[in-house]
Amino acid sequence: MSTPTDSPVPCALPGPSGPTARERLVRHATGIFAAKGFAAAGTREICEAAGVNIASIRYYFGDKEGLYRETLLGPIAEAITAFGGFDDPGLPFEDGIRRFFAPILGMTSDGEDAASETQVMKLHLREMLEPSGAFREVVEQTIAPAHRALVGLLARHCALAEPDDDIHQLAFALVAMAHDYCLSREMMRLLAPGVLDRPRARERTLDRLVGFARALLDHERARRLPHDPEPTPANADR
Amino acid sequence: MSTPTDSPVPCALPGPSGPTARERLVRHATGIFAAKGFAAAGTREICEAAGVNIASIRYYFGDKEGLYRETLLGPIAEAITAFGGFDDPGLPFEDGIRRFFAPILGMTSDGEDAASETQVMKLHLREMLEPSGAFREVVEQTIAPAHRALVGLLARHCALAEPDDDIHQLAFALVAMAHDYCLSREMMRLLAPGVLDRPRARERTLDRLVGFARALLDHERARRLPHDPEPTPANADR
DNA sequence: AGCACATAATCAAACGATTTATTAAGTCGA
DNA sequence: TCGACTTAATAAATCGTTTGATTATGTGCT
């Protein structure tokens, strides 16, 4: 029998009736995978939501895992460009870190697409807890370069030639604060609804994270000054 | 043939009263639920790991969800006491926030139990992405009081009578940094292994987070001063 | 002590339901 | 007619759950 994947890609022709079956499938699969996880998401459920039949998954992606890989690896191209030059050496720190945070918070585009980016972020957060083989590729191809660019930015503003472990740790703390707005969204709504519901909440949050980043960077720079009567232990052995 | 002394699994201590079947079940279920999620974890897999019969789940917990609830709600009693008085008004800020961070990082007890606490934390992180009914109880009974105590601590050190949304946001950022050491552990190992592997990594991380918290608190206090010669953008009103 | 009975715990086997993967035939527009 | 796509049905595996039997332990009665 002919293998289902070696057929020419059918997404070439734009149908007059909106997104193709394949596109709808990927779109709804992203939302359902993000909401319920890979195992709990059923192929019937996905196909029904997308308005396609069950056999379409095999037809377009071979199997369920192929569809999942597509939802995971598909948006990385957009993600790469979304960060667009945040580590430009000519940029002030606040502007650079703002460009870095904005896509993570889903602020590159407005309204509808923001929900889509939130779903992709949830997928990534799930994969952080339980990495799959496909995600390792994403890390190496996308996240690792972004992380290197971020630590480079931080090291530069700390007047360091090379980033060390403390810079890495600072970088993790910064992205953690941004991740949290996807991770604990439901809990925020229970504990402090105003943070999410007040007017211009996203803009405020972005401003806030930029301020936090500035404060942590200043803290890091002060920590590295030669005179250091700080509460941090001075025995930096190894 | 099989006497009750020679248990079928190596994890059971020799002697008449090792961990009971119920305890082993909960213990291994916690690890598997944390690693794979509720839906992907199979009852057969759990029982095989615990060295008990499949029917034990029904016998002890009714069904799979009852076992899951036990793994989720069981450790909350310990968690409540683990934070033990971190918001004592007589405590300096650094000491209070240190007592708050330590249990999250799994530093209340050493070695073996730390892995157990990490698993419980992973379960909670999964529930943050995809809250179940059982988790809502945990939030209301455990997390909400802890969050209120944290915002109270922060508001006090900001000389505020009542916490506002900005204080809540600061609190979320602080716990996010701590959560991240459970969430993106695998990714840290790929991107910057030294952060996790260097000697006394956990102690250093705790010190680091305390320093970050101090820096962010100072930033927040400075932001609230009427005169504001800070590097934070001048349009910080709103 | 000896016997009968009750309870708790565990076991192997199987049940019914649901899942994904797969196939064959059909529809419809260009 | 050809290719894109749908429909319906089946196969095969796996899932959570349930059952009935079995062992170990305890308990009360004579």
Side-chain angles (χ1 to χ4, degrees), chain A residues 155-183:
Chain A
R156 176 154 30 91
H157 284 93
C158 280
L160 289 177
E162 283 298 314
D164 56 11
D165 282 341
D166 284 337
I167 294 292
H168 280 281
Q169 201 160 16
L170 175 60
F172 287 133
L174 294 181
V175 305
M177 296 190 309
H179 279 167
D180 198 55
Y181 282 87
C182 226
L183 176 68

mmCIF file of all heavy atoms in Angstrom, chain A residues 155-183:
data_model
loop_
_atom_site.group_PDB
_atom_site.id
_atom_site.type_symbol
_atom_site.label_atom_id
_atom_site.label_comp_id
_atom_site.label_asym_id
_atom_site.label_seq_id
_atom_site.Cartn_x
_atom_site.Cartn_y
_atom_site.Cartn_z
ATOM 1 N N ALA A 155 24.706 39.595 30.452
ATOM 2 C CA ALA A 155 26.143 39.693 30.735
ATOM 3 C C ALA A 155 26.686 41.033 30.246
ATOM 4 O O ALA A 155 27.521 41.660 30.926
ATOM 5 C CB ALA A 155 26.880 38.532 30.058
ATOM 6 N N ARG A 156 26.211 41.456 29.087
ATOM 7 C CA ARG A 156 26.699 42.724 28.550
ATOM 8 C C ARG A 156 26.367 43.870 29.502
ATOM 9 O O ARG A 156 27.220 44.718 29.783
ATOM 10 C CB ARG A 156 26.072 42.956 27.173
ATOM 11 C CG ARG A 156 26.435 44.283 26.553
ATOM 12 C CD ARG A 156 26.361 44.206 25.040
ATOM 13 N NE ARG A 156 25.367 43.251 24.561
ATOM 14 C CZ ARG A 156 24.109 43.570 24.290
ATOM 15 N NH1 ARG A 156 23.685 44.797 24.480
ATOM 16 N NH2 ARG A 156 23.286 42.664 23.836
ATOM 17 N N HIS A 157 25.153 43.896 30.023
ATOM 18 C CA HIS A 157 24.764 44.977 30.916
ATOM 19 C C HIS A 157 25.328 44.798 32.319
ATOM 20 O O HIS A 157 25.139 45.655 33.170
ATOM 21 C CB HIS A 157 23.240 45.094 30.972
ATOM 22 C CG HIS A 157 22.657 45.747 29.761
ATOM 23 N ND1 HIS A 157 22.211 45.038 28.675
ATOM 24 C CD2 HIS A 157 22.471 47.054 29.445
ATOM 25 C CE1 HIS A 157 21.752 45.871 27.747
ATOM 26 N NE2 HIS A 157 21.906 47.102 28.186
ATOM 27 N N CYS A 158 25.953 43.678 32.556
ATOM 28 C CA CYS A 158 26.704 43.508 33.802
ATOM 29 C C CYS A 158 28.194 43.691 33.556
ATOM 30 O O CYS A 158 29.005 43.401 34.447
ATOM 31 C CB CYS A 158 26.451 42.125 34.394
ATOM 32 S SG CYS A 158 24.913 41.982 35.289
ATOM 33 N N ALA A 159 28.566 44.135 32.378
ATOM 34 C CA ALA A 159 29.977 44.368 32.035
ATOM 35 C C ALA A 159 30.791 43.094 32.175
ATOM 36 O O ALA A 159 31.916 43.098 32.666
ATOM 37 C CB ALA A 159 30.570 45.499 32.894
ATOM 38 N N LEU A 160 30.196 41.998 31.745
ATOM 39 C CA LEU A 160 30.902 40.725 31.778
ATOM 40 C C LEU A 160 31.237 40.298 30.353
ATOM 41 O O LEU A 160 30.431 40.474 29.434
ATOM 42 C CB LEU A 160 30.048 39.638 32.433
ATOM 43 C CG LEU A 160 29.826 39.746 33.936
ATOM 44 C CD1 LEU A 160 28.906 38.629 34.398
ATOM 45 C CD2 LEU A 160 31.157 39.691 34.668
ATOM 46 N N ALA A 161 32.428 39.722 30.194
ATOM 47 C CA ALA A 161 32.797 39.220 28.875
ATOM 48 C C ALA A 161 32.025 37.937 28.564
ATOM 49 O O ALA A 161 31.530 37.753 27.447
ATOM 50 C CB ALA A 161 34.309 38.970 28.801
ATOM 51 N N GLU A 162 31.925 37.073 29.539
ATOM 52 C CA GLU A 162 31.246 35.796 29.341
ATOM 53 C C GLU A 162 30.207 35.577 30.442
ATOM 54 O O GLU A 162 30.476 35.885 31.615
ATOM 55 C CB GLU A 162 32.270 34.653 29.357
ATOM 56 C CG GLU A 162 33.049 34.531 28.068
ATOM 57 C CD GLU A 162 32.144 34.233 26.883
ATOM 58 O OE1 GLU A 162 31.273 33.351 27.012
ATOM 59 O OE2 GLU A 162 32.319 34.905 25.829
ATOM 60 N N PRO A 163 29.062 35.063 30.110
ATOM 61 C CA PRO A 163 28.060 34.773 31.159
ATOM 62 C C PRO A 163 28.494 33.610 32.041
ATOM 63 O O PRO A 163 29.084 32.646 31.543
ATOM 64 C CB PRO A 163 26.808 34.415 30.344
ATOM 65 C CG PRO A 163 27.325 33.964 29.024
ATOM 66 C CD PRO A 163 28.566 34.764 28.767
ATOM 67 N N ASP A 164 28.218 33.710 33.318
ATOM 68 C CA ASP A 164 28.502 32.613 34.238
ATOM 69 C C ASP A 164 27.189 32.026 34.749
ATOM 70 O O ASP A 164 26.105 32.401 34.295
ATOM 71 C CB ASP A 164 29.379 33.096 35.391
ATOM 72 C CG ASP A 164 28.750 34.272 36.119
ATOM 73 O OD1 ASP A 164 27.563 34.548 35.859
ATOM 74 O OD2 ASP A 164 29.440 34.908 36.924
ATOM 75 N N ASP A 165 27.291 31.101 35.684
ATOM 76 C CA ASP A 165 26.094 30.426 36.166
ATOM 77 C C ASP A 165 25.109 31.385 36.827
ATOM 78 O O ASP A 165 23.889 31.186 36.743
ATOM 79 C CB ASP A 165 26.482 29.308 37.146
ATOM 80 C CG ASP A 165 26.995 28.078 36.415
ATOM 81 O OD1 ASP A 165 26.714 27.972 35.213
ATOM 82 O OD2 ASP A 165 27.654 27.238 37.046
ATOM 83 N N ASP A 166 25.629 32.404 37.484
ATOM 84 C CA ASP A 166 24.725 33.351 38.132
ATOM 85 C C ASP A 166 23.900 34.117 37.101
ATOM 86 O O ASP A 166 22.728 34.424 37.341
ATOM 87 C CB ASP A 166 25.519 34.319 39.013
ATOM 88 C CG ASP A 166 25.955 33.650 40.300
ATOM 89 O OD1 ASP A 166 25.306 32.667 40.694
ATOM 90 O OD2 ASP A 166 26.938 34.108 40.903
ATOM 91 N N ILE A 167 24.513 34.427 35.970
ATOM 92 C CA ILE A 167 23.757 35.090 34.904
ATOM 93 C C ILE A 167 22.678 34.160 34.355
ATOM 94 O O ILE A 167 21.546 34.569 34.103
ATOM 95 C CB ILE A 167 24.719 35.543 33.786
ATOM 96 C CG1 ILE A 167 25.669 36.628 34.316
ATOM 97 C CG2 ILE A 167 23.940 36.063 32.592
ATOM 98 C CD1 ILE A 167 24.975 37.930 34.623
ATOM 99 N N HIS A 168 23.066 32.910 34.177
ATOM 100 C CA HIS A 168 22.064 31.940 33.732
ATOM 101 C C HIS A 168 20.891 31.890 34.710
ATOM 102 O O HIS A 168 19.726 31.870 34.312
ATOM 103 C CB HIS A 168 22.698 30.554 33.612
ATOM 104 C CG HIS A 168 23.481 30.350 32.358
ATOM 105 N ND1 HIS A 168 22.898 30.080 31.141
ATOM 106 C CD2 HIS A 168 24.814 30.402 32.125
ATOM 107 C CE1 HIS A 168 23.840 29.963 30.214
ATOM 108 N NE2 HIS A 168 25.009 30.153 30.783
ATOM 109 N N GLN A 169 21.212 31.867 35.970
ATOM 110 C CA GLN A 169 20.163 31.790 36.983
ATOM 111 C C GLN A 169 19.260 33.022 36.936
ATOM 112 O O GLN A 169 18.038 32.915 37.080
ATOM 113 C CB GLN A 169 20.802 31.645 38.367
ATOM 114 C CG GLN A 169 19.870 31.072 39.408
ATOM 115 C CD GLN A 169 20.627 30.502 40.597
ATOM 116 O OE1 GLN A 169 21.810 30.785 40.789
ATOM 117 N NE2 GLN A 169 19.933 29.698 41.389
ATOM 118 N N LEU A 170 19.861 34.155 36.727
ATOM 119 C CA LEU A 170 19.071 35.382 36.592
ATOM 120 C C LEU A 170 18.146 35.292 35.372
ATOM 121 O O LEU A 170 16.974 35.686 35.430
ATOM 122 C CB LEU A 170 20.001 36.586 36.481
ATOM 123 C CG LEU A 170 19.347 37.944 36.219
ATOM 124 C CD1 LEU A 170 18.382 38.299 37.331
ATOM 125 C CD2 LEU A 170 20.401 39.036 36.054
ATOM 126 N N ALA A 171 18.685 34.757 34.291
ATOM 127 C CA ALA A 171 17.868 34.607 33.083
ATOM 128 C C ALA A 171 16.677 33.691 33.346
ATOM 129 O O ALA A 171 15.546 33.989 32.939
ATOM 130 C CB ALA A 171 18.726 34.054 31.943
ATOM 131 N N PHE A 172 16.920 32.590 34.017
ATOM 132 C CA PHE A 172 15.816 31.681 34.334
ATOM 133 C C PHE A 172 14.757 32.380 35.179
ATOM 134 O O PHE A 172 13.547 32.184 34.973
ATOM 135 C CB PHE A 172 16.352 30.448 35.072
ATOM 136 C CG PHE A 172 17.098 29.503 34.194
ATOM 137 C CD1 PHE A 172 18.327 28.982 34.579
ATOM 138 C CD2 PHE A 172 16.576 29.111 32.972
ATOM 139 C CE1 PHE A 172 19.019 28.110 33.772
ATOM 140 C CE2 PHE A 172 17.261 28.228 32.155
ATOM 141 C CZ PHE A 172 18.496 27.729 32.558
ATOM 142 N N ALA A 173 15.189 33.180 36.127
ATOM 143 C CA ALA A 173 14.226 33.878 36.975
ATOM 144 C C ALA A 173 13.364 34.836 36.147
ATOM 145 O O ALA A 173 12.152 34.945 36.361
ATOM 146 C CB ALA A 173 14.955 34.632 38.077
ATOM 147 N N LEU A 174 13.982 35.496 35.188
ATOM 148 C CA LEU A 174 13.222 36.449 34.373
ATOM 149 C C LEU A 174 12.166 35.742 33.528
ATOM 150 O O LEU A 174 10.998 36.145 33.495
ATOM 151 C CB LEU A 174 14.180 37.243 33.485
ATOM 152 C CG LEU A 174 15.145 38.185 34.204
ATOM 153 C CD1 LEU A 174 16.013 38.927 33.211
ATOM 154 C CD2 LEU A 174 14.393 39.169 35.089
ATOM 155 N N VAL A 175 12.565 34.684 32.839
ATOM 156 C CA VAL A 175 11.579 33.996 32.002
ATOM 157 C C VAL A 175 10.541 33.309 32.872
ATOM 158 O O VAL A 175 9.381 33.148 32.466
ATOM 159 C CB VAL A 175 12.245 32.982 31.050
ATOM 160 C CG1 VAL A 175 13.306 33.672 30.211
ATOM 161 C CG2 VAL A 175 12.813 31.814 31.787
ATOM 162 N N ALA A 176 10.931 32.907 34.076
ATOM 163 C CA ALA A 176 9.964 32.277 34.966
ATOM 164 C C ALA A 176 8.831 33.237 35.300
ATOM 165 O O ALA A 176 7.657 32.849 35.318
ATOM 166 C CB ALA A 176 10.651 31.807 36.250
ATOM 167 N N MET A 177 9.168 34.496 35.537
ATOM 168 C CA MET A 177 8.126 35.472 35.853
ATOM 169 C C MET A 177 7.161 35.634 34.687
ATOM 170 O O MET A 177 5.952 35.779 34.876
ATOM 171 C CB MET A 177 8.769 36.817 36.196
ATOM 172 C CG MET A 177 9.631 36.782 37.440
ATOM 173 S SD MET A 177 10.145 38.425 37.981
ATOM 174 C CE MET A 177 10.816 39.127 36.487
ATOM 175 N N ALA A 178 7.695 35.587 33.475
ATOM 176 C CA ALA A 178 6.830 35.717 32.301
ATOM 177 C C ALA A 178 6.001 34.445 32.090
ATOM 178 O O ALA A 178 4.808 34.511 31.802
ATOM 179 C CB ALA A 178 7.668 36.018 31.063
ATOM 180 N N HIS A 179 6.635 33.291 32.245
ATOM 181 C CA HIS A 179 5.916 32.029 32.099
ATOM 182 C C HIS A 179 4.718 31.979 33.029
ATOM 183 O O HIS A 179 3.670 31.431 32.693
ATOM 184 C CB HIS A 179 6.851 30.863 32.420
ATOM 185 C CG HIS A 179 7.739 30.485 31.292
ATOM 186 N ND1 HIS A 179 8.823 29.645 31.461
ATOM 187 C CD2 HIS A 179 7.718 30.815 29.993
ATOM 188 C CE1 HIS A 179 9.421 29.487 30.295
ATOM 189 N NE2 HIS A 179 8.778 30.178 29.395
ATOM 190 N N ASP A 180 4.894 32.555 34.200
ATOM 191 C CA ASP A 180 3.873 32.417 35.222
ATOM 192 C C ASP A 180 2.537 32.994 34.784
ATOM 193 O O ASP A 180 1.493 32.550 35.266
ATOM 194 C CB ASP A 180 4.338 33.092 36.509
ATOM 195 C CG ASP A 180 3.541 32.617 37.703
ATOM 196 O OD1 ASP A 180 3.489 31.403 37.929
ATOM 197 O OD2 ASP A 180 2.949 33.476 38.399
ATOM 198 N N TYR A 181 2.558 33.926 33.880
ATOM 199 C CA TYR A 181 1.294 34.508 33.452
ATOM 200 C C TYR A 181 0.530 33.584 32.531
ATOM 201 O O TYR A 181 -0.617 33.840 32.199
ATOM 202 C CB TYR A 181 1.525 35.862 32.793
ATOM 203 C CG TYR A 181 1.764 36.903 33.832
ATOM 204 C CD1 TYR A 181 3.033 37.133 34.318
ATOM 205 C CD2 TYR A 181 0.705 37.597 34.379
ATOM 206 C CE1 TYR A 181 3.267 38.049 35.319
ATOM 207 C CE2 TYR A 181 0.916 38.515 35.371
ATOM 208 C CZ TYR A 181 2.196 38.737 35.834
ATOM 209 O OH TYR A 181 2.405 39.627 36.843
ATOM 210 N N CYS A 182 1.161 32.531 32.106
ATOM 211 C CA CYS A 182 0.438 31.484 31.400
ATOM 212 C C CYS A 182 0.154 30.324 32.345
ATOM 213 O O CYS A 182 -0.907 29.714 32.285
ATOM 214 C CB CYS A 182 1.277 30.999 30.221
ATOM 215 S SG CYS A 182 0.371 30.840 28.696
ATOM 216 N N LEU A 183 1.119 30.054 33.200
ATOM 217 C CA LEU A 183 1.040 28.862 34.057
ATOM 218 C C LEU A 183 -0.048 28.991 35.115
ATOM 219 O O LEU A 183 -0.907 28.123 35.235
ATOM 220 C CB LEU A 183 2.398 28.636 34.715
ATOM 221 C CG LEU A 183 2.472 27.488 35.712
ATOM 222 C CD1 LEU A 183 2.330 26.164 35.004
ATOM 223 C CD2 LEU A 183 3.781 27.542 36.474
#
